[in-house]
Amino acid sequence: WEQTDTLRFPLDTLRQSGTFQLCIDIRTSASRPYPFLNISLSIIQQWNGDTTRTRHLTCALASPDGSVAGSGVSYRQTEFPADTLSLKAGSCGEILLSHHMSQRVLHGISDAGIRLRRLH
């Protein structure tokens, strides 16, 4: 995952109004370990063509001693709550995700994604 790469996640029209939790999922690889304890992310939300929200999030991928849960597995997936949103039926948008780490290319990150979960 390079610093210049922005991951784009289009969100189709919502069928119901409600409160939603936006989560970021990061999957790390055991075969090529991620070299840092944390990852710093920029999350840009664009809703209905004009509403933009930007958040910066630092997520812990290992404990301070460097240990990682799930030792012995090929991949480890961690979910991080990023925002709580009140959205109306008919809303559509796009989530843009990029990293702000010191290394130009991040090794050990196999996948990154989002999850929009309806709370009520």
Side-chain angles (χ1 to χ4, degrees):
W1 189 5
E2 293 192 31
Q3 276 181 335
T4 57
D5 291 340
T6 298
L7 306 178
R8 296 179 174 277
F9 301 96
L11 298 168
D12 205 355
T13 306
L14 296 176
R15 289 188 227 165
Q16 297 179 354
S17 298
T19 303
F20 296 84
Q21 183 174 48
L22 173 65
C23 295
I24 306 299
D25 289 326
I26 302 289
R27 188 178 297 159
T28 54
S29 171
S31 64
R32 188 165 193 183
Y34 181 69
F36 303 104
L37 298 177
N38 300 311
I39 186 168
S40 179
L41 302 170
S42 177
I43 305 156
I44 299 172
Q45 304 171 42
Q46 298 174 331
W47 294 101
N48 300 317
D50 59 359
T51 305
T52 301
R53 294 171 60 131
T54 301
R55 298 234 21 226
H56 298 282
L57 187 65
T58 299
C59 307
L61 293 173
S63 64
D65 67 359
S67 63
V68 183
S71 298
V73 297
S74 299
Y75 294 99
R76 178 177 173 260
Q77 184 166 325
T78 310
E79 182 177 271
F80 304 98
D83 207 350
T84 301
L85 308 164
S86 292
L87 299 170
K88 295 182 180 187
S91 294
C92 59
E94 184 175 46
I95 307 296
L96 309 173
L97 184 64
S98 58
H99 77 80
H100 296 283
M101 300 298 288
S102 59
Q103 273 188 342
R104 190 174 75 66
V105 178
L106 285 185
H107 298 288
I109 302 289
S110 63
D111 297 291
I114 65 160
R115 185 182 317 255
L116 192 61
R117 181 179 299 128
R118 189 170 192 272
L119 298 174
H120 53 271

